[in-house]
Amino acid sequence: MILGKHINRYYLRFAPVLLLGLISLIVVDYFQLVIPNLYQMVINGVNQGVVEVDGQTLPFDMDFLLDRVCMPMVGVILAIVAGRFVWRLAFMGSAVRLEADLRNRMFDNAKNLSREYYQVNKVGNLMSLFTNDLDTVQDCFGWGVLMFFDALFMGSLAIIKMWNMNPLLTVLSMIPMAFLLCCATMVGRRLMRKWDIRQQAFSDLSDFAQESFSGIAVIKAFVKESKELLAFDDLNKENERANIDHTKTAVLFRILVSLFIESVICVILGYGGFLVYQGMFNAGQLVEFIGYFNAVIWPIMAVSELIDMTSRGKASLNRVSELLDAVPSVVDQPGAEAMKNIRGSIEFRHLNFRYPDGEFDALEDISFKIEAGENVGLVGKTGSGKTTLVDLILRTYNVPAGTIFVDGVDVNRITIQSLRAGCSYVPQDNFLFSDTIERNIAFGVEEYDPQKVDKYAQLADVANDINHFQHGYNTILGERGVTVSGGQKQRISIARALMRNAPILILDDSVSAVDTKTERSILANLRATRAGKTTILIAHRISTIEQMDKVLFVDNGKLIAVGTHQELYANCPEYTKMVDLQKLDEEGGEQRNA
Ligand code: ADP
């Protein structure tokens, strides 16, 4: 049974069901302890021909066997079966509901966490929280409550019965048990540490497997299968070692428990036999006493199991709690208000930005203004800060007050949700879900008309490609379905962003994988459909941004120049050099192809 901040509430929430389970557990325990008394009557009846029942001496005959042994035994068995059914349903049912609820809460919190969290915590690790750790917590809740109370009720009821028969024999039987409890407490701590190491090893293994499967194309292209296999083998061995280590301690603990139990049986047989020899106990009573002790064995085993299980449960609950307690680092500032009807002007004022774990400023003293409805190109070398700049408009990271303004309002004073609702974003990795193309394109809108999906697919110049798929817009993408090319992926992502029809559209290197003709058609469609709305387009090819109202040229985290392509080409030597180099490259490429 585990207690903890995130789990205590479930004991309260499921209190009525758990109470019903406890009542049936007490009923089962009570009836189980009737059985040793029936043994005693049968053995004494066989030995002596008569049986003492409630101070009366009754003959041991067929009537007695039927009325006093068989009929009660049938009643006891029925009560035990019914009781076990009810407590299983109550305890295990609550545990399953707890698991589902915890999983929901974990997912709910995880989805609110900022990007920083996901940079530190890998997917494999998160997956093992949602599977392995949650299973352990569930086990500990259901079986834990059962074992705790069963050990308590059954143990104390049986010990009372034993005490009533012979106090000294009971005390002697309990001495090894006291040693067992001391050992159990010490081993329990050790088990918890071992379980923690085991879970960590499993997380590392899942992380590695997840990453390898995601990067299988790269692994194969570089013929690194055997290197990956060796690395996996190492992690698998580490996982195996951690498992064996935990199992060794758990097995050692179980052996200790059996040893203590066997030693108690020795004590009972030795001293109990002596009592029978002295005439203070009869054979039936000794068997009855052993029957009660047998009933105590399960609670003792349960206590040992409980210690092992609680140690595992606590370690897993700690890991789950870390996720539940994680707070998003990017949140609405106090007093932030939702902004309705964003027009789309964006201004940066002397913004300096360093990533939370960064060693240098990714952006330095950035100032510029984009008017609502402008088409802006953002160019610069790889690593110059383009993605960082657009990420900050979306408030993916915290920004200093008074540095970024949307429609003249500091972004820190706008709720993150309303700010992001005003933006459409095509990120560099163009992630698509394992779902139909239609639902991928309509991802950003609540309700949609399939005709509209087609319209936006046409604007992104991908409708023809989609219609060539056997199932058209109903084609499932990703792991369970069709793999699309890089260019198709980019264009489906553009269609998804266009369908959102937000006042600000940001495309991060989104046409790099399409040919120049398709790029021109997409850009023309953008200009036509997004008139009056702001568009920021990060690009490497100068041809992509030549026609833009404004070009922002960044280098090494600094904004070098702002203006039209022609202005920059005429006045900014770095820009001129970059454009000329690109032209040379393109001409070289054309000649090579000719
Ligand atoms: P670009 O989009 O122009 O290629 P980025 O904006 O992605 O460049 O990166 C700008 C700089 O910030 C680079 O030096 C990069 O290494 C660094 N950077 C990007 N993302 C992170 C991050 N999450 N943490 C720390 N540094 C980062």
Side-chain angles (χ1 to χ4, degrees):
M1 189 168 149
I2 39 167
L3 297 170
K5 185 171 130 204
H6 291 291
I7 208 159
N8 292 348
R9 64 173 78 180
Y10 295 103
Y11 292 107
L12 277 180
R13 188 189 297 179
F14 302 133
V17 183
L18 293 177
L19 203 65
L20 179 71
L22 284 182
I23 292 169
S24 29
L25 189 67
I26 296 174
V27 170
V28 171
D29 287 352
Y30 173 81
F31 280 108
Q32 269 183 314
L33 290 175
V34 170
I35 300 173
N37 187 250
L38 299 178
Y39 290 168
Q40 184 259 105
M41 288 195 284
V42 174
I43 289 179
N44 282 349
V46 170
N47 280 344
Q48 299 160 4
V50 288
V51 186
E52 291 271 339
V53 184
D54 305 329
Q56 284 178 282
T57 307
L58 301 174
F60 184 68
D61 52 18
M62 284 310 286
D63 285 345
F64 180 88
L65 260 179
L66 205 63
D67 296 344
R68 299 284 183 151
V69 179
C70 294
M71 294 298 281
M73 190 71 180
V74 171
V76 164
I77 290 170
L78 287 179
I80 289 177
V81 169
R84 279 193 182 146
F85 179 73
V86 175
W87 67 239
R88 258 180 193 270
L89 221 57
F91 295 133
M92 304 312 149
S94 307
V96 169
R97 284 161 65 198
L98 158 123
E99 187 188 8
D101 197 71
L102 260 184
R103 188 174 282 129
N104 258 344
R105 285 174 54 206
M106 284 163 72
F107 189 80
D108 193 38
N109 201 42
K111 77 175 184 348
N112 293 333
L113 293 174
S114 319
R115 208 186 280 179
E116 261 174 88
Y117 182 88
Y118 291 96
Q119 276 163 359
V120 180
N121 295 281
K122 296 194 192 152
V123 177
N125 185 27
L126 285 171
M127 289 318 294
S128 71
L129 287 185
F130 277 85
T131 50
N132 246 15
D133 287 303
L134 212 48
D135 267 359
T136 314
V137 172
Q138 191 241 67
D139 258 4
C140 220
F141 185 82
W143 286 105
V145 174
L146 163 72
M147 285 172 179
F148 179 80
F149 286 103
D150 202 17
L152 193 73
F153 297 145
M154 184 72 135
S156 32
L157 282 176
I159 290 172
I160 291 171
K161 294 246 181 200
M162 287 161 74
W163 184 268
N164 288 340
M165 290 189 77
N166 191 307
L168 183 59
L169 188 54
T170 310
V171 171
L172 287 177
S173 321
M174 289 301 122
I175 291 172
M177 293 301 131
F179 281 112
L180 176 65
L181 268 182
C182 295
C183 284
T185 322
M186 286 187 296
V187 180
R189 276 190 220 118
R190 202 176 149 79
L191 273 172
M192 182 168 157
R193 277 199 305 277
K194 303 262 176 213
W195 183 256
D196 207 21
I197 297 171
R198 205 193 99 138
Q199 292 299 80
Q200 193 50 52
F202 182 76
S203 286
D204 292 346
L205 193 67
S206 342
D207 258 344
F208 188 87
Q210 194 266 340
E211 202 154 281
S212 301
F213 295 140
S214 306
I216 194 76
V218 180
I219 295 171
K220 281 187 179 296
F222 284 78
V223 203
K224 289 291 174 200
E225 289 96 330
S226 42
K227 185 175 160 241
E228 286 290 298
L229 184 65
L230 283 179
F232 184 82
D233 201 38
D234 280 349
L235 282 174
N236 203 16
K237 283 215 176 86
E238 192 48 50
N239 184 47
E240 185 186 321
R241 254 196 301 277
N243 257 310
I244 291 179
D245 235 24
H246 176 265
T247 312
K248 264 188 199 160
T249 317
V251 167
L252 179 78
F253 185 43
R254 296 227 163 89
I255 291 173
L256 270 177
V257 174
S258 321
L259 182 78
F260 284 116
I261 289 171
E262 299 305 330
S263 53
V264 176
I265 300 271
C266 278
V267 171
I268 297 177
L269 283 180
Y271 185 65
F274 171 73
L275 290 177
V276 175
Y277 176 72
Q278 293 272 304
M280 293 162 73
F281 239 30
N282 58 39
Q285 282 172 316
L286 184 58
V287 171
E288 186 180 351
F289 192 90
I290 292 176
Y292 291 138
F293 180 72
N294 271 338
V296 181
I297 291 178
W298 154 239
I300 293 168
M301 299 293 271
V303 169
S304 73
E305 187 68 27
L306 195 64
I307 289 167
D308 177 18
M309 187 180 267
T310 311
S311 325
R312 284 185 275 133
K314 268 190 197 157
S316 286
L317 184 64
N318 285 345
R319 287 160 52 79
V320 166
S321 300
E322 267 174 37
L323 170 62
L324 286 170
D325 289 335
V327 283
S329 53
V330 181
V331 286
D332 285 338
Q333 300 290 326
E337 282 177 22
M339 186 182 241
K340 291 190 192 103
N341 306 324
I342 291 180
R343 278 175 292 113
S345 83
I346 298 164
E347 189 181 355
F348 276 54
R349 284 188 208 157
H350 304 291
L351 172 110
N352 289 303
F353 177 77
R354 180 176 295 204
Y355 279 100
D357 56 346
E359 285 166 9
F360 55 87
D361 284 352
L363 293 174
E364 277 176 58
D365 196 22
I366 304 282
S367 296
F368 64 86
K369 183 155 190 207
I370 298 173
E371 299 298 343
E374 271 185 332
N375 285 328
V376 178
L378 182 52
V379 282
K381 285 196 286 249
T382 308
S384 54
K386 303 180 297 293
T387 302
T388 310
L389 197 148
V390 293
D391 271 348
L392 293 184
I393 299 174
L394 292 160
R395 283 273 274 116
T396 306
Y397 296 92
N398 286 318
V399 291
T403 52
I404 303 181
F405 298 81
V406 167
D407 289 351
V409 183
D410 186 338
V411 286
N412 284 303
R413 298 185 50 211
I414 307 173
T415 58
I416 294 173
Q417 207 196 5
S418 67
L419 177 68
R420 290 184 189 161
C423 303
S424 272
Y425 184 37
V426 186
Q428 221 166 15
D429 68 357
N430 299 299
F431 181 82
L432 295 176
F433 296 93
S434 290
D435 202 345
T436 62
I437 295 181
E438 184 175 289
R439 281 198 285 268
N440 262 291
I441 294 180
F443 181 73
V445 294
E446 295 302 323
E447 281 169 17
Y448 66 91
D449 168 6
Q451 302 263 306
K452 282 221 161 139
V453 173
D454 182 55
K455 175 186 149 193
Y456 289 104
Q458 282 183 24
L459 290 176
D461 210 7
V462 69
N464 271 346
D465 300 53
I466 298 171
N467 288 325
H468 275 112
F469 291 135
Q470 197 187 350
H471 302 290
Y473 285 91
N474 292 323
T475 306
I476 305 264
L477 298 178
E479 282 162 22
R480 288 180 296 126
V482 169
T483 309
V484 288
S485 73
Q488 286 167 336
K489 220 173 159 189
Q490 282 192 335
R491 283 174 287 149
I492 294 174
S493 304
I494 294 175
R496 173 172 67 190
L498 286 179
M499 188 150 180
R500 185 94 181 270
N501 205 13
I504 299 172
L505 170 67
I506 298 170
L507 300 111
D508 189 353
D509 212 7
S510 307
V511 281
S512 57
V514 299
D515 57 74
T516 16
K517 185 170 156 275
T518 313
E519 179 191 288
R520 250 181 256 133
S521 143
I522 296 173
L523 293 178
N525 290 341
L526 278 183
R527 266 192 297 277
T529 53
R530 288 196 54 81
K533 297 194 177 106
T534 309
T535 302
I536 303 175
L537 202 150
I538 297 179
H540 279 289
R541 279 201 295 252
I542 295 299
S543 59
T544 318
I545 46 99
E546 260 173 353
Q547 306 291 320
M548 295 283 172
D549 301 325
K550 199 180 263 176
V551 174
L552 305 176
F553 176 47
V554 287
D555 192 24
N556 209 10
K558 295 187 191 73
L559 181 62
I560 307 290
V562 182
T564 61
H565 165 70
Q566 287 75 15
E567 282 166 3
L568 261 57
Y569 190 69
N571 304 320
C572 176
E574 291 98 327
Y575 185 81
T576 318
K577 195 172 151 201
M578 186 181 77
V579 175
D580 290 345
L581 273 175
Q582 266 197 25
K583 274 193 190 144
L584 269 178
D585 254 8
E586 278 163 22
E587 280 162 15
E590 273 164 23
Q591 274 167 16
R592 273 193 301 278
N593 291 339

